[in-house]
Amino acid sequence: MSKDLYNIAVVGATGAVGKEILNVLEQRKFPVGELTLLASERSAGETLTFKGQHYVVGLLDKADFKGIDIALFSPGGSVSAKYAPIAAAAGCVVVDNTSHFRMDPDVPLVVPEVNPDDVAGYVKKNIIANPNCSTIQMVVALKPIHDAFGIKRIVVSTYQSVSGSGRVAMDELSAQVTAIYTMKSPEKEVYPHQIAFNCLPHIDDFLDNGYTKEEQKMVDETKKIFGDDSVKVSATAVRVPVFVGHGESINIETEDPITPEEVRQILSEAPGVEVVDDPEKSLYPQQLTSAECDEVFVGRIRTDDTVENGINMWVVSDNLRKGAALNAVQIVELLIRDYI
Ligand code: NAP
Ligand code: 12T
């Protein structure tokens, strides 16, 4: 660490991810010097609290990034596309949470437990991308298994909470539940169908190949983070009426023979992972109990005997913590430890 304190900007500070970034910076006692909070004209002028102090939210369009060391961006893809390069050109290192830069070969895509050394590549554009929430929790759980047994193929189905699509989506789920219990008709705006008491196999836009962008992100980002294009990934992403926490049913096939006991042993020592796997006592990861936690929880580890070396598991994590804010802050911690 070459400075005592770092000047930090949070872009999209009033959003679901931005607010969690402030919580994580405070909880991890990050050495914040000057703090600049930015958003759109919708909330510029509002106040947010950090370490008991009040900060007025500024307008991104008017911001000057000179003198800011690190900016954590989560204002949406098109906004990051425009403003992250402006911040980077002013000498600020950007950690971007949107999907915009993730597959850019000159932008590293980092999960600190998996590919921490890739952070070094930030020098090309002064930008580091934070992966998609569903990808992050999957690669944290699978990397130690990949290293030990060689994963050939992954089939994953996600059960993703509404907080993944932001503040307005969380409000939509609450409003629909309230409307239904008070005999009113539920209104929809964020999702194409009612999400209360329903599941939608539709996250982000559909592509020509019949998959959604969310599913495609899990395929492409996993290969980039593992640095291994040979891993085959097939994904189905489903929105469920849960506020926080994504669940994933993951099936893997490995090169080498593998047992559930070996997986439990490896994952019990893996960074960022907690094994919760005692079905006799009804113990397995759940969205409700994972909310506000930092870990990636893994359970229901069992053999898939329909293939040669197959394992099934259930993986849950808080999408706003490890899936977004925590991973981004961990990247910043690596940056200040080794690079700036
Ligand atoms: P959100 O709750 O809707 O918040 C969006 C934030 O961006 C708000 O602070 C909003 O400010 C701000 N914003 C929107 N348009 C802006 C503009 N033109 N100029 C300045 N600020 C603007 O959304 P969220 O859930 O926090 O997600 C934000 C982004 O992070 C999305 O791109 C999403 O895909 C991504 N995301 C990433 C991960 C991940 O890294 N794994 C996880 C979840 C989401 P106002 O208050 O002024 O509207
Ligand atoms: N559409 O970071 O709607 O690429 O849950 C994360 C979450 C995109 C992303 C969602 C999304 C991202 C969602």
Side-chain angles (χ1 to χ4, degrees):
M1 197 153 84
S2 57
K3 285 188 185 185
D4 291 337
L5 296 174
Y6 290 82
N7 295 339
I8 301 289
V10 180
V11 180
T14 51
V17 175
K19 283 190 174 159
E20 200 60 41
I21 287 173
L22 292 175
N23 289 339
V24 174
L25 287 170
E26 183 165 340
Q27 287 158 1
R28 294 173 76 89
K29 301 187 169 49
F30 187 88
V32 179
E34 281 173 34
L35 179 64
T36 305
L37 305 183
L38 299 166
S40 78
E41 63 288 336
R42 280 182 296 271
S43 56
E46 279 178 18
T47 356
L48 293 175
T49 309
F50 179 74
K51 286 192 188 166
Q53 260 182 275
H54 299 300
Y55 291 83
V56 177
V57 176
L59 194 57
L60 172 60
D61 202 33
K62 296 265 158 39
D64 180 0
F65 285 90
K66 277 203 195 68
I68 295 175
D69 298 301
I70 299 157
L72 292 125
F73 270 66
S74 58
S78 60
V79 183
S80 282
K82 178 171 175 195
Y83 292 94
I86 294 174
C92 172
V93 183
V94 172
V95 177
D96 183 44
N97 271 285
T98 76
S99 57
H100 187 76
F101 296 99
R102 290 184 191 145
M103 297 315 296
D104 182 331
D106 292 335
V107 172
L109 183 65
V110 178
V111 178
E113 292 84 350
V114 178
N115 59 339
D117 297 341
D118 286 355
V119 165
Y122 83 91
V123 289
K124 290 190 191 142
K125 287 201 170 165
N126 251 7
I127 301 174
I128 302 173
N130 200 58
N132 173 266
C133 33
S134 300
T135 310
I136 294 176
Q137 67 181 65
M138 183 167 84
V139 297
V140 167
L142 294 189
K143 179 63 161 54
I145 303 172
H146 188 42
D147 289 344
F149 300 95
I151 295 178
K152 291 198 294 194
R153 178 166 181 258
I154 302 167
V155 180
V156 54
S157 297
T158 72
Y159 300 62
Q160 297 183 221
S161 66
V162 296
S163 57
S165 14
R167 236 172 22 197
V168 184
M170 297 173 82
D171 294 344
E172 181 155 310
L173 174 56
S174 329
Q176 287 181 356
V177 171
T178 308
I180 290 160
Y181 277 116
T182 52
M183 313 295 275
K184 298 192 183 101
S185 55
E187 289 180 15
K188 57 185 195 294
E189 196 186 312
V190 177
Y191 301 119
H193 306 284
Q194 179 183 317
I195 185 62
F197 311 105
N198 202 8
C199 296
L200 307 175
H202 177 181
I203 299 185
D204 210 335
D205 302 329
F206 279 96
L207 298 165
D208 288 343
N209 64 6
Y211 287 82
T212 60
K213 283 188 183 169
E214 186 77 353
E215 292 159 353
Q216 193 64 45
K217 284 179 257 181
M218 294 187 77
V219 176
D220 300 336
E221 294 179 20
T222 299
K223 292 173 196 253
K224 179 166 174 175
I225 297 163
F226 277 1
D228 182 353
D229 277 345
S230 72
V231 184
K232 293 179 184 165
V233 184
S234 184
T236 302
V238 181
R239 183 81 61 199
V240 297
V242 164
F243 283 99
V244 176
H246 290 355
E248 296 180 346
S249 163
I250 301 180
N251 175 269
I252 55 168
E253 270 181 80
T254 54
E255 299 280 353
D256 299 332
I258 184 168
T259 66
E261 293 68 37
E262 287 168 321
V263 172
R264 267 182 225 110
Q265 173 57 32
I266 285 178
L267 291 183
S268 67
E269 288 166 12
V273 176
E274 189 172 323
V275 175
V276 182
D277 198 11
D278 194 349
E280 293 280 298
K281 296 192 176 127
S282 302
L283 282 177
Y284 32 72
Q286 300 163 57
Q287 267 104 322
L288 262 186
T289 48
S290 308
E292 288 172 43
C293 296
D294 286 348
E295 297 82 358
V296 171
F297 297 94
V298 185
R300 300 293 321 281
I301 301 166
R302 60 212 194 274
T303 300
D304 172 10
D305 60 14
T306 66
V307 290
E308 196 163 337
N309 301 316
I311 289 284
N312 277 312
M313 63 180 86
W314 172 246
V315 176
V316 177
S317 194
D318 181 330
N319 54 297
L320 295 176
R321 300 279 297 191
K322 186 58 189 166
L326 173 63
N327 198 72
V329 172
Q330 287 174 311
I331 291 172
V332 175
E333 288 171 347
L334 289 177
L335 259 177
I336 68 164
R337 191 190 72 191
D338 295 337
Y339 302 96
I340 60 175

